[in-house]
Amino acid sequence: MILYPKILQIEITDACNLHCSYCDIHENHKHPGTMPFERVAWLIRQAQYASHVCPQYWGEPTLHPDFLQILRLCVESGKTASFYTNGLLLDTFDIPEVLRNTSEIRISMDNTTPDGFLNTTGSGSFERVRRNIVACWEAKKRFSLGTRIIIRATELVPAQPFGYFVSFWGPYCDSVELKPLRLSAPPPGIELMDRKTCDFPTRHIVIKRDGTVVLCCSDHNKQCPIGNVFESTVLDIFNSPRYNELRQQVGELPLCHNCWYRYRRRHTPSGEA
């Protein structure tokens, strides 16, 4: 049986404009860059079987010079698109146009104050990101757009309860999501998901900036490289013996032991989801 990835995740850049305290992107990506638009477009057009594209992996996608064009190409190719962002540069784009070409935006935010923001990110402007979040929400309402806007917290400060965080950002998004990175123990009130229930490697393919395919979105540093899409086809890699072998080991791999996916928790305006 041939497997077809339904979700194509492409690292269009591994550069980032912030230095978040919990993130090692600058340590592990000494020479960041972008995937040329021509290569991104080739991958999107080639993957006719995929219904969704996430043009982001490790890095800030809005730094790519052709970011909006990539979103438009996804829609023109009959696919939906979503991305993660720190939100700092959203105001450099036509925000309603970004939303029209996106089904879901996750904006990383760990704070409710400017000082806390700088302590986490090392640079940037809390007020600018806040304005951009509000602008996205207002554009969604004004133009009756279906784009889901999610605020994603990665590392909340101890003095900032998650409930207060939800009440602060909740009015400007569809939901608030807690995605812890340091997982020595489950966060309070969050039940662990069985690792064996993870279906990520059967429906989702992750492509690094240089074309390397890795097992999942937690494999930032290529612990489980599988092949390269600029040397083999996506389908050949997705159905390769190496990929199938790793699928059988899901839940037992070292990569799985610190997987944040098992701890995801959301709050919506109507309560916890």
Side-chain angles (χ1 to χ4, degrees):
M1 181 181 69
I2 299 176
L3 294 177
Y4 296 89
K6 299 301 182 184
I7 300 174
L8 193 67
Q9 185 164 1
I10 307 171
E11 185 178 64
I12 61 174
T13 180
D14 55 5
C16 189
N17 50 346
L18 296 180
H19 292 75
C20 295
S21 57
Y22 50 77
C23 180
D24 62 358
I25 185 172
H26 297 287
E27 178 181 346
N28 291 303
H29 294 75
K30 300 294 187 182
H31 305 286
T34 60
M35 184 184 289
F37 174 76
E38 293 74 18
R39 284 193 162 189
V40 178
W42 178 77
L43 286 170
I44 293 171
R45 291 175 177 136
Q46 179 195 163
Q48 298 179 6
Y49 37 77
S51 58
H52 185 83
V53 177
C54 177
Q56 185 269 342
Y57 177 40
W58 208 224
E60 173 52 46
T62 59
L63 289 171
H64 196 288
D66 301 301
F67 175 64
L68 186 52
Q69 188 177 354
I70 291 170
L71 293 181
R72 287 172 175 151
L73 177 62
C74 293
V75 175
E76 291 167 4
S77 301
K79 310 176 195 305
T80 55
S82 65
F83 65 94
Y84 294 74
T85 176
N86 58 41
L88 193 62
L89 299 179
L90 286 173
D91 55 6
T92 64
F93 300 92
D94 180 340
I95 287 179
E97 184 66 7
V98 170
L99 268 59
R100 288 188 187 98
N101 290 279
T102 311
S103 62
E104 184 175 274
I105 300 175
R106 278 189 169 89
I107 303 173
S108 296
M109 173 55 71
D110 302 288
N111 296 277
T112 56
T113 66
D115 287 344
F117 179 84
L118 283 177
N119 285 338
T120 299
T121 63
S123 60
S125 166
F126 173 83
E127 288 301 326
R128 183 178 179 184
V129 177
R130 187 193 65 80
R131 287 194 302 269
N132 289 343
I133 290 172
V134 172
C136 285
W137 188 246
E138 290 179 345
K140 169 178 172 158
K141 296 302 182 182
R142 179 183 177 187
F143 297 103
S144 300
L145 300 172
T147 309
R148 283 183 54 79
I149 299 172
I150 298 169
I151 305 298
R152 188 193 69 176
T154 300
E155 187 171 273
L156 298 175
V157 296
Q160 180 177 265
F162 189 50
Y164 175 73
F165 185 85
V166 171
S167 67
F168 186 92
W169 290 111
Y172 310 110
C173 64
D174 292 287
S175 67
V176 178
E177 178 180 277
L178 175 62
K179 178 207 155 195
L181 284 185
R182 297 189 175 98
L183 304 180
S184 56
I190 300 181
E191 184 177 353
L192 277 175
M193 180 183 78
D194 185 349
R195 293 191 186 105
K196 287 294 186 181
T197 64
C198 179
D199 63 347
F200 195 104
T202 63
R203 60 182 176 84
H204 196 134
I205 191 165
V206 181
I207 302 168
K208 298 281 287 178
R209 177 173 67 91
D210 63 359
T212 300
V213 172
V214 293
L215 183 63
C216 74
C217 62
S218 294
D219 194 359
H220 300 137
N221 300 315
K222 303 181 186 177
Q223 295 179 49
C224 296
I226 302 169
N228 192 293
V229 294
F230 302 127
E231 299 171 0
S232 302
T233 69
V234 169
L235 279 186
D236 282 346
I237 295 171
F238 203 62
N239 289 275
S240 66
R242 166 71 170 162
Y243 218 130
N244 289 328
E245 178 186 359
L246 289 171
R247 286 188 183 103
Q248 297 301 315
Q249 299 176 44
V250 166
E252 306 303 327
L253 295 166
L255 187 66
C256 303
H257 296 167
N258 199 41
C259 177
W260 64 268
Y261 182 77
R262 301 185 300 134
Y263 294 83
R264 181 175 294 183
R265 181 187 191 184
R266 287 186 186 177
H267 282 252
T268 66
S270 60
E272 188 173 331

mmCIF file of all heavy atoms in Angstrom, residues 26-57:
data_model
loop_
_atom_site.group_PDB
_atom_site.id
_atom_site.type_symbol
_atom_site.label_atom_id
_atom_site.label_comp_id
_atom_site.label_asym_id
_atom_site.label_seq_id
_atom_site.Cartn_x
_atom_site.Cartn_y
_atom_site.Cartn_z
ATOM 1 N N HIS A 26 19.413 29.572 17.347
ATOM 2 C CA HIS A 26 20.634 30.286 16.977
ATOM 3 C C HIS A 26 21.882 29.461 17.283
ATOM 4 O O HIS A 26 22.907 29.594 16.607
ATOM 5 C CB HIS A 26 20.687 31.637 17.693
ATOM 6 C CG HIS A 26 19.566 32.558 17.300
ATOM 7 N ND1 HIS A 26 19.517 33.177 16.066
ATOM 8 C CD2 HIS A 26 18.451 32.940 17.962
ATOM 9 C CE1 HIS A 26 18.423 33.913 15.995
ATOM 10 N NE2 HIS A 26 17.754 33.783 17.118
ATOM 11 N N GLU A 27 21.775 28.602 18.274
ATOM 12 C CA GLU A 27 22.898 27.725 18.617
ATOM 13 C C GLU A 27 23.080 26.621 17.583
ATOM 14 O O GLU A 27 24.203 26.259 17.235
ATOM 15 C CB GLU A 27 22.656 27.104 19.999
ATOM 16 C CG GLU A 27 23.737 26.131 20.442
ATOM 17 C CD GLU A 27 23.445 25.512 21.795
ATOM 18 O OE1 GLU A 27 22.548 26.024 22.499
ATOM 19 O OE2 GLU A 27 24.102 24.510 22.137
ATOM 20 N N ASN A 28 21.977 26.103 17.063
ATOM 21 C CA ASN A 28 22.035 24.965 16.151
ATOM 22 C C ASN A 28 21.965 25.334 14.678
ATOM 23 O O ASN A 28 22.094 24.470 13.820
ATOM 24 C CB ASN A 28 20.908 23.985 16.483
ATOM 25 C CG ASN A 28 21.141 23.292 17.815
ATOM 26 O OD1 ASN A 28 22.171 22.652 18.019
ATOM 27 N ND2 ASN A 28 20.213 23.444 18.733
ATOM 28 N N HIS A 29 21.709 26.611 14.390
ATOM 29 C CA HIS A 29 21.669 27.064 12.998
ATOM 30 C C HIS A 29 22.601 28.266 12.860
ATOM 31 O O HIS A 29 22.171 29.412 12.897
ATOM 32 C CB HIS A 29 20.247 27.439 12.586
ATOM 33 C CG HIS A 29 19.306 26.266 12.566
ATOM 34 N ND1 HIS A 29 18.811 25.696 13.721
ATOM 35 C CD2 HIS A 29 18.789 25.546 11.539
ATOM 36 C CE1 HIS A 29 18.021 24.686 13.399
ATOM 37 N NE2 HIS A 29 17.994 24.584 12.087
ATOM 38 N N LYS A 30 23.882 27.963 12.729
ATOM 39 C CA LYS A 30 24.905 29.023 12.698
ATOM 40 C C LYS A 30 24.864 29.826 11.401
ATOM 41 O O LYS A 30 25.306 30.969 11.362
ATOM 42 C CB LYS A 30 26.297 28.403 12.872
ATOM 43 C CG LYS A 30 26.491 27.632 14.182
ATOM 44 C CD LYS A 30 26.422 28.550 15.400
ATOM 45 C CE LYS A 30 26.784 27.781 16.667
ATOM 46 N NZ LYS A 30 26.678 28.630 17.872
ATOM 47 N N HIS A 31 24.360 29.217 10.339
ATOM 48 C CA HIS A 31 24.326 29.890 9.042
ATOM 49 C C HIS A 31 22.909 29.805 8.466
ATOM 50 O O HIS A 31 22.660 29.082 7.491
ATOM 51 C CB HIS A 31 25.340 29.255 8.092
ATOM 52 C CG HIS A 31 26.734 29.233 8.642
ATOM 53 N ND1 HIS A 31 27.524 30.365 8.721
ATOM 54 C CD2 HIS A 31 27.474 28.210 9.171
ATOM 55 C CE1 HIS A 31 28.690 30.048 9.256
ATOM 56 N NE2 HIS A 31 28.690 28.755 9.538
ATOM 57 N N PRO A 32 21.978 30.545 9.066
ATOM 58 C CA PRO A 32 20.592 30.467 8.603
ATOM 59 C C PRO A 32 20.410 31.054 7.208
ATOM 60 O O PRO A 32 21.221 31.856 6.741
ATOM 61 C CB PRO A 32 19.836 31.292 9.648
ATOM 62 C CG PRO A 32 20.850 32.281 10.153
ATOM 63 C CD PRO A 32 22.152 31.522 10.159
ATOM 64 N N GLY A 33 19.347 30.632 6.570
ATOM 65 C CA GLY A 33 19.046 31.140 5.241
ATOM 66 C C GLY A 33 17.621 30.805 4.864
ATOM 67 O O GLY A 33 16.814 30.393 5.716
ATOM 68 N N THR A 34 17.284 30.969 3.597
ATOM 69 C CA THR A 34 15.939 30.686 3.124
ATOM 70 C C THR A 34 15.975 29.686 1.976
ATOM 71 O O THR A 34 16.958 29.595 1.243
ATOM 72 C CB THR A 34 15.242 31.978 2.637
ATOM 73 O OG1 THR A 34 16.007 32.539 1.559
ATOM 74 C CG2 THR A 34 15.123 32.998 3.749
ATOM 75 N N MET A 35 14.899 28.939 1.831
ATOM 76 C CA MET A 35 14.739 28.069 0.675
ATOM 77 C C MET A 35 14.238 28.938 -0.477
ATOM 78 O O MET A 35 13.261 29.679 -0.316
ATOM 79 C CB MET A 35 13.727 26.954 0.965
ATOM 80 C CG MET A 35 13.584 25.959 -0.177
ATOM 81 S SD MET A 35 12.296 24.683 0.124
ATOM 82 C CE MET A 35 13.074 23.696 1.425
ATOM 83 N N PRO A 36 14.894 28.913 -1.626
ATOM 84 C CA PRO A 36 14.459 29.745 -2.751
ATOM 85 C C PRO A 36 12.993 29.492 -3.104
ATOM 86 O O PRO A 36 12.503 28.359 -3.014
ATOM 87 C CB PRO A 36 15.386 29.319 -3.892
ATOM 88 C CG PRO A 36 16.599 28.761 -3.210
ATOM 89 C CD PRO A 36 16.091 28.101 -1.964
ATOM 90 N N PHE A 37 12.305 30.545 -3.518
ATOM 91 C CA PHE A 37 10.889 30.428 -3.854
ATOM 92 C C PHE A 37 10.661 29.347 -4.909
ATOM 93 O O PHE A 37 9.678 28.599 -4.835
ATOM 94 C CB PHE A 37 10.345 31.771 -4.367
ATOM 95 C CG PHE A 37 8.937 31.679 -4.866
ATOM 96 C CD1 PHE A 37 7.874 31.605 -3.982
ATOM 97 C CD2 PHE A 37 8.670 31.619 -6.238
ATOM 98 C CE1 PHE A 37 6.560 31.497 -4.440
ATOM 99 C CE2 PHE A 37 7.364 31.512 -6.705
ATOM 100 C CZ PHE A 37 6.310 31.454 -5.806
ATOM 101 N N GLU A 38 11.550 29.249 -5.867
ATOM 102 C CA GLU A 38 11.375 28.269 -6.944
ATOM 103 C C GLU A 38 11.318 26.847 -6.390
ATOM 104 O O GLU A 38 10.543 26.008 -6.871
ATOM 105 C CB GLU A 38 12.508 28.389 -7.968
ATOM 106 C CG GLU A 38 12.504 29.686 -8.768
ATOM 107 C CD GLU A 38 12.974 30.895 -7.944
ATOM 108 O OE1 GLU A 38 13.620 30.688 -6.885
ATOM 109 O OE2 GLU A 38 12.685 32.029 -8.367
ATOM 110 N N ARG A 39 12.147 26.563 -5.379
ATOM 111 C CA ARG A 39 12.148 25.225 -4.778
ATOM 112 C C ARG A 39 10.874 24.991 -3.957
ATOM 113 O O ARG A 39 10.298 23.898 -3.990
ATOM 114 C CB ARG A 39 13.386 25.035 -3.901
ATOM 115 C CG ARG A 39 14.660 24.798 -4.701
ATOM 116 C CD ARG A 39 15.782 24.302 -3.827
ATOM 117 N NE ARG A 39 16.830 23.675 -4.630
ATOM 118 C CZ ARG A 39 17.854 22.995 -4.116
ATOM 119 N NH1 ARG A 39 17.976 22.878 -2.801
ATOM 120 N NH2 ARG A 39 18.753 22.448 -4.908
ATOM 121 N N VAL A 40 10.465 26.018 -3.213
ATOM 122 C CA VAL A 40 9.231 25.900 -2.431
ATOM 123 C C VAL A 40 8.051 25.635 -3.367
ATOM 124 O O VAL A 40 7.230 24.738 -3.124
ATOM 125 C CB VAL A 40 8.968 27.186 -1.614
ATOM 126 C CG1 VAL A 40 7.651 27.070 -0.845
ATOM 127 C CG2 VAL A 40 10.118 27.466 -0.645
ATOM 128 N N ALA A 41 7.977 26.419 -4.446
ATOM 129 C CA ALA A 41 6.879 26.268 -5.404
ATOM 130 C C ALA A 41 6.897 24.882 -6.037
ATOM 131 O O ALA A 41 5.831 24.259 -6.233
ATOM 132 C CB ALA A 41 6.988 27.351 -6.474
ATOM 133 N N TRP A 42 8.069 24.374 -6.366
ATOM 134 C CA TRP A 42 8.191 23.048 -6.972
ATOM 135 C C TRP A 42 7.658 21.978 -6.028
ATOM 136 O O TRP A 42 6.929 21.074 -6.452
ATOM 137 C CB TRP A 42 9.651 22.784 -7.318
ATOM 138 C CG TRP A 42 9.910 21.433 -7.905
ATOM 139 C CD1 TRP A 42 9.661 21.021 -9.183
ATOM 140 C CD2 TRP A 42 10.456 20.295 -7.220
ATOM 141 N NE1 TRP A 42 10.019 19.704 -9.340
ATOM 142 C CE2 TRP A 42 10.514 19.233 -8.157
ATOM 143 C CE3 TRP A 42 10.912 20.083 -5.922
ATOM 144 C CZ2 TRP A 42 11.001 17.973 -7.815
ATOM 145 C CZ3 TRP A 42 11.395 18.833 -5.583
ATOM 146 C CH2 TRP A 42 11.444 17.795 -6.527
ATOM 147 N N LEU A 43 7.981 22.100 -4.738
ATOM 148 C CA LEU A 43 7.511 21.124 -3.763
ATOM 149 C C LEU A 43 5.994 21.166 -3.617
ATOM 150 O O LEU A 43 5.329 20.137 -3.566
ATOM 151 C CB LEU A 43 8.168 21.389 -2.401
ATOM 152 C CG LEU A 43 9.634 20.995 -2.275
ATOM 153 C CD1 LEU A 43 10.227 21.535 -0.978
ATOM 154 C CD2 LEU A 43 9.791 19.476 -2.324
ATOM 155 N N ILE A 44 5.436 22.372 -3.550
ATOM 156 C CA ILE A 44 3.990 22.517 -3.388
ATOM 157 C C ILE A 44 3.252 21.957 -4.595
ATOM 158 O O ILE A 44 2.265 21.225 -4.461
ATOM 159 C CB ILE A 44 3.619 23.998 -3.156
ATOM 160 C CG1 ILE A 44 4.170 24.472 -1.795
ATOM 161 C CG2 ILE A 44 2.109 24.195 -3.217
ATOM 162 C CD1 ILE A 44 4.036 25.963 -1.566
ATOM 163 N N ARG A 45 3.735 22.267 -5.777
ATOM 164 C CA ARG A 45 3.068 21.805 -7.002
ATOM 165 C C ARG A 45 3.223 20.299 -7.207
ATOM 166 O O ARG A 45 2.334 19.640 -7.760
ATOM 167 C CB ARG A 45 3.606 22.569 -8.201
ATOM 168 C CG ARG A 45 3.181 24.050 -8.209
ATOM 169 C CD ARG A 45 3.813 24.806 -9.333
ATOM 170 N NE ARG A 45 3.359 26.194 -9.385
ATOM 171 C CZ ARG A 45 4.161 27.240 -9.582
ATOM 172 N NH1 ARG A 45 5.456 27.053 -9.770
ATOM 173 N NH2 ARG A 45 3.660 28.460 -9.610
ATOM 174 N N GLN A 46 4.378 19.775 -6.773
ATOM 175 C CA GLN A 46 4.626 18.343 -6.936
ATOM 176 C C GLN A 46 3.686 17.515 -6.063
ATOM 177 O O GLN A 46 3.219 16.447 -6.479
ATOM 178 C CB GLN A 46 6.084 18.024 -6.564
ATOM 179 C CG GLN A 46 6.432 16.557 -6.666
ATOM 180 C CD GLN A 46 7.728 16.214 -5.967
ATOM 181 O OE1 GLN A 46 7.989 15.061 -5.694
ATOM 182 N NE2 GLN A 46 8.563 17.188 -5.660
ATOM 183 N N ALA A 47 3.396 18.023 -4.871
ATOM 184 C CA ALA A 47 2.612 17.267 -3.887
ATOM 185 C C ALA A 47 1.118 17.449 -4.122
ATOM 186 O O ALA A 47 0.400 18.031 -3.304
ATOM 187 C CB ALA A 47 2.993 17.692 -2.475
ATOM 188 N N GLN A 48 0.614 16.936 -5.230
ATOM 189 C CA GLN A 48 -0.797 17.091 -5.567
ATOM 190 C C GLN A 48 -1.704 16.338 -4.606
ATOM 191 O O GLN A 48 -2.882 16.645 -4.478
ATOM 192 C CB GLN A 48 -1.032 16.616 -7.002
ATOM 193 C CG GLN A 48 -0.271 17.420 -8.048
ATOM 194 C CD GLN A 48 -0.516 16.915 -9.459
ATOM 195 O OE1 GLN A 48 -1.339 16.031 -9.684
ATOM 196 N NE2 GLN A 48 0.210 17.472 -10.409
ATOM 197 N N TYR A 49 -1.165 15.337 -3.929
ATOM 198 C CA TYR A 49 -1.930 14.513 -2.997
ATOM 199 C C TYR A 49 -2.095 15.190 -1.640
ATOM 200 O O TYR A 49 -2.931 14.781 -0.839
ATOM 201 C CB TYR A 49 -1.200 13.177 -2.799
ATOM 202 C CG TYR A 49 0.299 13.356 -2.788
ATOM 203 C CD1 TYR A 49 0.967 13.851 -1.674
ATOM 204 C CD2 TYR A 49 1.047 13.096 -3.943
ATOM 205 C CE1 TYR A 49 2.335 14.060 -1.687
ATOM 206 C CE2 TYR A 49 2.406 13.300 -3.965
ATOM 207 C CZ TYR A 49 3.048 13.783 -2.834
ATOM 208 O OH TYR A 49 4.396 14.015 -2.863
ATOM 209 N N ALA A 50 -1.287 16.201 -1.341
ATOM 210 C CA ALA A 50 -1.370 16.889 -0.046
ATOM 211 C C ALA A 50 -2.503 17.912 -0.081
ATOM 212 O O ALA A 50 -2.682 18.634 -1.066
ATOM 213 C CB ALA A 50 -0.047 17.565 0.281
ATOM 214 N N SER A 51 -3.244 17.998 1.008
ATOM 215 C CA SER A 51 -4.350 18.949 1.078
ATOM 216 C C SER A 51 -4.006 20.187 1.896
ATOM 217 O O SER A 51 -4.743 21.168 1.872
ATOM 218 C CB SER A 51 -5.580 18.271 1.689
ATOM 219 O OG SER A 51 -5.279 17.771 2.993
ATOM 220 N N HIS A 52 -2.869 20.121 2.611
ATOM 221 C CA HIS A 52 -2.514 21.240 3.484
ATOM 222 C C HIS A 52 -1.002 21.463 3.467
ATOM 223 O O HIS A 52 -0.232 20.510 3.406
ATOM 224 C CB HIS A 52 -2.971 20.955 4.925
ATOM 225 C CG HIS A 52 -2.750 22.098 5.861
ATOM 226 N ND1 HIS A 52 -3.624 23.160 5.969
ATOM 227 C CD2 HIS A 52 -1.738 22.361 6.733
ATOM 228 C CE1 HIS A 52 -3.169 24.016 6.868
ATOM 229 N NE2 HIS A 52 -2.033 23.568 7.341
ATOM 230 N N VAL A 53 -0.597 22.724 3.517
ATOM 231 C CA VAL A 53 0.822 23.086 3.557
ATOM 232 C C VAL A 53 1.073 23.992 4.753
ATOM 233 O O VAL A 53 0.315 24.931 5.002
ATOM 234 C CB VAL A 53 1.262 23.822 2.269
ATOM 235 C CG1 VAL A 53 2.730 24.248 2.374
ATOM 236 C CG2 VAL A 53 1.046 22.935 1.049
ATOM 237 N N CYS A 54 2.129 23.692 5.491
ATOM 238 C CA CYS A 54 2.602 24.579 6.553
ATOM 239 C C CYS A 54 3.985 25.082 6.116
ATOM 240 O O CYS A 54 4.970 24.351 6.227
ATOM 241 C CB CYS A 54 2.707 23.839 7.883
ATOM 242 S SG CYS A 54 3.368 24.853 9.236
ATOM 243 N N PRO A 55 4.076 26.309 5.588
ATOM 244 C CA PRO A 55 5.372 26.814 5.096
ATOM 245 C C PRO A 55 6.226 27.376 6.231
ATOM 246 O O PRO A 55 6.667 28.514 6.202
ATOM 247 C CB PRO A 55 4.947 27.903 4.102
ATOM 248 C CG PRO A 55 3.680 28.429 4.672
ATOM 249 C CD PRO A 55 2.994 27.268 5.349
ATOM 250 N N GLN A 56 6.462 26.558 7.215
ATOM 251 C CA GLN A 56 7.240 26.980 8.387
ATOM 252 C C GLN A 56 7.609 25.737 9.176
ATOM 253 O O GLN A 56 6.857 24.774 9.237
ATOM 254 C CB GLN A 56 6.415 27.933 9.261
ATOM 255 C CG GLN A 56 7.137 28.528 10.438
ATOM 256 C CD GLN A 56 7.002 27.703 11.715
ATOM 257 O OE1 GLN A 56 6.118 26.861 11.814
ATOM 258 N NE2 GLN A 56 7.872 27.938 12.687
ATOM 259 N N TYR A 57 8.796 25.771 9.740
ATOM 260 C CA TYR A 57 9.207 24.693 10.651
ATOM 261 C C TYR A 57 10.061 25.321 11.735
ATOM 262 O O TYR A 57 9.577 25.792 12.732
ATOM 263 C CB TYR A 57 9.933 23.592 9.873
ATOM 264 C CG TYR A 57 10.458 22.464 10.737
ATOM 265 C CD1 TYR A 57 9.720 21.978 11.802
ATOM 266 C CD2 TYR A 57 11.694 21.886 10.489
ATOM 267 C CE1 TYR A 57 10.185 20.947 12.600
ATOM 268 C CE2 TYR A 57 12.169 20.850 11.268
ATOM 269 C CZ TYR A 57 11.424 20.384 12.328
ATOM 270 O OH TYR A 57 11.908 19.375 13.105
#
